[in-house]
Amino acid sequence: MAYTAVKDFLQDELDSIRESGLYKDEKIIRTPQGAEVDTSTGHELIMCANNYLGLADSEEIEQAVVDGLKTHGFGMASVRFICGTQDIHKELEDKITNWFGTEATILYTSCFDANTGLFETVLGPEDAIISDALNHASIIDGVRLCKATRKVYKHNDMADLEDKLRETQDSRFRMIATDGVFSMQGDEADLVGICDLADKYDAMVMVDDSHATGFLGPTGRGSVDKQGVIDRVDVITSTMGKALGGASGGFTTGRKEIIDILRQRSRPYLFSNTLAPPIVVGALTALDILQTRPELRERLHENTAYFRNRMTDLGFDIVPGDHPIVPIMIGDEKKNVALAQAVNARGVFVVAFSFPVVPRGEARIRVQMSAAHTREQLDRALAVFEEAGREQGVIS
Ligand SMILES: Cc1ncc(COP(=O)(O)O)c(C=O)c1O
């Protein structure tokens, strides 16, 4: 049997992943996602969710979803263009468009799909995509699917981006692709620099703002809002799976013709099921909440500043910045896992990130702040990090 050889090969791979401290276990949570959860190992304070605004267990969203289930049902059993478009799908697309002040929006079942469905639809072999070296896997995969020339510029390096723009002068169309906020570091793309270069070299700009939509910028519309470039960016992709209630779903918003062609040709949109009605209703409610309650993002930013400052005072190596993603750099994979385990054993739920999610030798614990965290919870987490960090020799 052919599988016998494959089985042995895969088992060896799995053993080596485990031996090098890179194996990812999944912990079981038995309650809704929130600041504290019950897990298979106890009651824990959670510090690793993308639940930035604390809406994952919002009673208001839950109630809207229950009501929405009654009015719009559970599933549509169809892709959008056959019989998978309800009034609420159009309502959500319009709401996102109006919020951003863009021209049009298209929904996907995830931002991963939004990214993999974008590039090959808009660009062809005569074109070029110029992509930041640390872009999310879904942008990388989307670029791989596209026949355009690919150039990767050094992370957030405007001089290197300019070199790549010069090298691709002969392309028909060009698109610069970047995360708005880089998920493993919590740092922001230099969007003003990127838009200036795009103007100079006549390129389009695409920003994936998954780790910023809902809470960065004066109106919470993301890094594009914070840096004042919404009207200079051609395409924004983002997720509903993080700040906007954290269930699932993604969208692409921007120029009308780009959105129109995606609706006609984008493969994850044409060949995958529509977003489930309860998810759409939940996202609509999440958007209402974040537009009317700026105090949620204010609390998130206060929590972030507090935690970042205290961790730095304790002697941890934190990637500087002001984003609620707080990467605690450890380096060595095994030491990283040991620290995460020591923190987990004290009732604080964190995850050790290692290769292939981050480069080898740059292992880290990525802590994430939420508006749901109270000051008491943050102090508890800090005390645990201090104790575990001393025990594991990470701080002195
Ligand atoms: C920058 C970025 N883009 C896209 C995604 C994928 O989003 P989704 O979960 O909606 O597929 C993520 C999620 O990890 C992300 O961090």
Side-chain angles (χ1 to χ4, degrees):
M1 282 248 303
Y3 186 62
T4 314
V6 176
K7 180 180 159 80
D8 292 345
F9 170 78
L10 293 180
Q11 195 53 60
D12 285 350
E13 283 287 296
L14 289 165
D15 292 345
S16 90
I17 293 173
R18 206 177 273 283
E19 272 156 30
S20 38
L22 303 177
Y23 197 88
K24 290 159 199 64
D25 282 308
E26 295 173 3
K27 192 188 294 220
I28 311 297
I29 297 177
R30 298 185 165 132
T31 53
Q33 184 67 278
E36 300 201 24
V37 292
D38 287 344
T39 69
S40 40
T41 49
H43 183 80
E44 296 178 51
L45 170 56
I46 204 154
M47 302 289 289
C48 51
N50 299 305
N51 185 18
Y52 294 113
L53 294 175
L55 297 180
D57 63 347
S58 152
E59 284 177 14
E60 212 173 321
I61 296 180
E62 279 165 22
Q63 189 56 55
V65 169
V66 170
D67 296 345
L69 261 174
K70 301 254 165 56
T71 56
H72 287 76
F74 172 61
M76 289 300 293
S78 175
V79 298
R80 283 287 296 274
F81 84 96
I82 302 181
C83 47
T85 300
Q86 288 176 317
D87 48 359
I88 48 174
H89 292 90
K90 297 314 275 182
E91 196 187 328
L92 181 55
E93 286 173 342
D94 289 345
K95 201 175 187 103
I96 293 170
T97 305
N98 291 335
W99 186 45
F100 278 98
T102 43
E103 292 172 9
T105 301
I106 179 172
L107 299 177
Y108 286 86
T109 46
S110 68
C111 185
F112 205 105
D113 276 353
N115 287 340
T116 52
L118 173 66
F119 304 101
E120 66 160 349
T121 310
V122 178
L123 301 169
E126 313 87 335
D127 307 319
I129 303 168
I130 308 164
S131 178
D132 188 288
L134 290 193
N135 275 344
H136 189 259
S138 52
I139 297 184
I140 296 172
D141 285 6
V143 172
R144 279 185 187 146
L145 288 170
C146 178
K147 295 197 169 62
T149 300
R150 296 166 218 166
K151 297 276 176 186
V152 175
Y153 63 96
K154 287 186 204 133
H155 176 52
N156 228 354
D157 182 330
M158 294 304 108
D160 197 35
L161 172 57
E162 182 154 20
D163 284 347
K164 302 293 186 283
L165 284 162
R166 280 201 204 97
E167 288 166 22
T168 53
Q169 293 273 33
D170 293 339
S171 304
R172 181 184 57 170
F173 306 134
R174 285 176 294 173
M175 184 179 272
I176 304 168
T178 184
D179 284 13
V181 169
F182 295 85
S183 56
M184 286 301 133
Q185 314 223 124
D187 59 331
E188 257 174 74
D190 176 1
L191 295 179
V192 174
I194 290 171
C195 289
D196 287 348
L197 286 173
D199 287 347
K200 185 168 168 192
Y201 290 92
D202 203 18
M204 294 180 283
V205 177
M206 172 273 181
V207 177
D208 172 346
D209 233 357
S210 291
H211 282 283
T213 303
F215 59 95
L216 279 198
T219 57
R221 288 175 296 170
S223 65
V224 286
D225 182 24
K226 187 170 170 204
Q227 297 190 41
V229 295
I230 293 184
D231 54 354
R232 302 181 71 192
V233 166
D234 300 281
V235 191
I236 300 165
T237 62
S238 194
T239 185
M240 272 95 82
K242 302 189 196 298
L244 308 193
S248 62
F251 61 87
T252 303
T253 191
R255 309 276 182 212
K256 180 179 177 305
E257 299 72 20
I258 293 179
I259 304 306
D260 284 352
I261 201 83
L262 291 173
R263 234 184 261 291
Q264 299 306 313
R265 298 237 177 99
S266 179
R267 291 166 72 83
Y269 184 81
L270 290 180
F271 296 102
S272 185
N273 219 358
T274 191
L275 209 54
I279 302 286
V280 177
V281 173
L284 280 165
T285 314
L287 279 169
D288 282 338
I289 293 174
L290 68 90
Q291 285 178 52
T292 50
R293 282 190 231 149
E295 64 272 18
L296 288 177
R297 51 180 191 272
E298 281 156 22
R299 195 175 324 135
L300 172 65
H301 297 313
E302 277 163 26
N303 283 351
T304 300
Y306 182 77
F307 191 81
R308 278 179 167 274
N309 289 339
R310 291 287 187 290
M311 284 294 280
T312 306
D313 291 347
L314 286 173
F316 284 99
D317 178 10
I318 306 288
V319 177
D322 56 8
H323 194 274
I325 291 173
V326 187
I328 304 162
M329 302 305 291
I330 306 299
D332 178 73
E333 270 87 24
K334 286 191 175 157
K335 197 169 183 177
N336 194 42
V337 171
L339 177 63
Q341 282 171 348
V343 171
N344 287 339
R346 291 168 170 85
V348 176
F349 190 165
V350 295
V351 174
F353 281 82
S354 52
F355 182 81
V357 184
V358 294
R360 278 188 206 277
E362 292 185 27
R364 68 199 66 176
I365 293 175
R366 182 183 71 171
V367 168
Q368 284 166 280
M369 296 295 111
S370 169
H373 288 132
T374 62
R375 191 51 63 87
E376 179 278 320
Q377 287 167 329
L378 294 185
D379 284 337
R380 200 174 349 136
L382 287 160
V384 162
F385 265 105
E386 181 173 13
E387 202 180 288
R390 293 227 160 88
E391 179 193 273
Q392 297 300 319
V394 173
I395 53 168
S396 47

